[in-house]
Amino acid sequence: MTITTKGRTGRIAVYEQANAPFRIREYPLREPEPGEVLVRIRMSTICRSDIHSYQGHRPNPCPGVLGHEIIGVIEALGAGVHQDMRGDPLAPGDRITWSEYFIPGRNYFTEVLDLPQKSPGVDKYGHMAAANLPHHHGGFGEYCYILPQSWILRLPEDLSDEEATPINCGVATMIAVTEVANIRMGQTVLVQGLGLLGLYGAAIAKARGARTVIGLDTVAERRERAHRFGVDLVLDPASIEQAELLHQVREVCRPAGADVVIEVCGVAEVIAQGIEMLRVGGTYVLAGVVNPGALVTIDANLLLRKLLTLRGVHNYHPRNLVEALDFVVANRRRFPFHDLVDGKYPLDRVNDAMADAGTRRVLRAAIVP
Ligand SMILES: [Zn+2]
């Protein structure tokens, strides 16, 4: 450990309350404590959940720091940190990704239930008040402390920052979603919502052996882009009558409907439609309805009669982070992941970045400090 931080500060974009403009503040840096890693941020992409938090749709302490899809370069290692979760050695200068959350030590959820991502007291980067020490714990800034009980992975050199940054949220989440969906060779998968999660989901479904992926989205631009990420057929649920939509899906998913339906659009009303499109014995996975109050009316008799499996995914298991990195490395020539990050902004322009991401002018806005 070297004294690298004495008297130094780092800039962070802080917002006072929901929808208030970000202001750049300086906070002191300190040496990383045992188990911590101090990282100089290379890129942080704006996730839909950052926008939900910023707009006040879900509770987030203020004045707050946002940003959890982050990659960075190791500035200093705290005592006891020598290698990443795969056992690869870590050293200052290494470019890394890490889990979007950290857990408060050993607990029942981790050790008995194998659900560390839902441990009581689990906290996320970019979800804490700016006043919380060590201040630098979000992506919209120059530095971030990776706290103990996080999972770190060193990034291969040939992976671009654009390919690497969404791995620890968007990609890992869809690895978890497609894992619980249990997608098998030759199956048909229907994806409701062709934003970033939907596109990764389609690509991963194909990599897991899906025969056909159908994508539903009301935005023409998203439907056009989807073909490059493994979606074979796109449909606009707003312009096709429900019975006709169901007919078209059945024609592709012969004889009885889709094996798997994945919700990543965040609109609870689509759940009933998704259940209709499933075959007997199919699986429905919810991953987009992340805000409380997503009330919906469904015919529970359909769940019973069609022998359906209904699964929810929130956060992901640490193993999914390893799989996410390996998936992107193995498939970066097959799918143009680099192009998904289509807007880059310096830290001073974080307000423009949030505005463009919020109005969907860009698919994934990146803050490059
Ligand atoms: Zn996210």
Side-chain angles (χ1 to χ4, degrees), residues 108-130:
Y108 181 86
F109 283 69
T110 297
E111 296 183 8
V112 178
L113 302 181
D114 193 27
L115 292 168
Q117 68 271 39
K118 298 306 292 182
S119 300
V122 67
D123 220 332
K124 285 185 171 180
Y125 295 93
H127 279 70
M128 289 170 278

Side-chain angles (χ1 to χ4, degrees), residues 14-17 25 27 60-65 128-132 137:
V14 175
Y15 71 115
E16 294 293 327
Q17 60 188 52
R25 299 258 179 84
Y27 288 90
N60 219 49
C62 286
V65 183
M128 289 170 278
N132 275 27
H137 37 58

Side-chain angles (χ1 to χ4, degrees), residues 16-32:
E16 294 293 327
Q17 60 188 52
N19 297 305
F22 284 89
R23 301 197 194 290
I24 306 297
R25 299 258 179 84
E26 298 223 5
Y27 288 90
L29 293 171
R30 58 152 171 75
E31 286 301 298

Side-chain angles (χ1 to χ4, degrees), residues 42-46 160-163 165 338 340-347 349-350 352-353 356 362 364-369:
R42 276 186 68 92
M43 181 177 278
S44 179
T45 35
I46 300 179
S160 70
D161 286 352
E162 289 83 352
E163 289 168 319
T165 307
H338 184 95
L340 291 172
V341 176
D342 53 353
K344 287 197 252 180
Y345 306 80
L347 189 58
R349 290 190 58 217
V350 59
D352 296 334
D356 289 352
V362 294
R364 214 52 154 193
I367 313 272
V368 185

Side-chain angles (χ1 to χ4, degrees), residues 216 235 237 240-249 273 277:
L216 265 54
L235 296 169
I240 309 173
E241 203 215 325
Q242 165 81 9
E244 175 58 22
L245 192 64
L246 205 57
H247 172 73
Q248 291 196 22
V249 169
Q273 189 178 63
M277 291 168 174

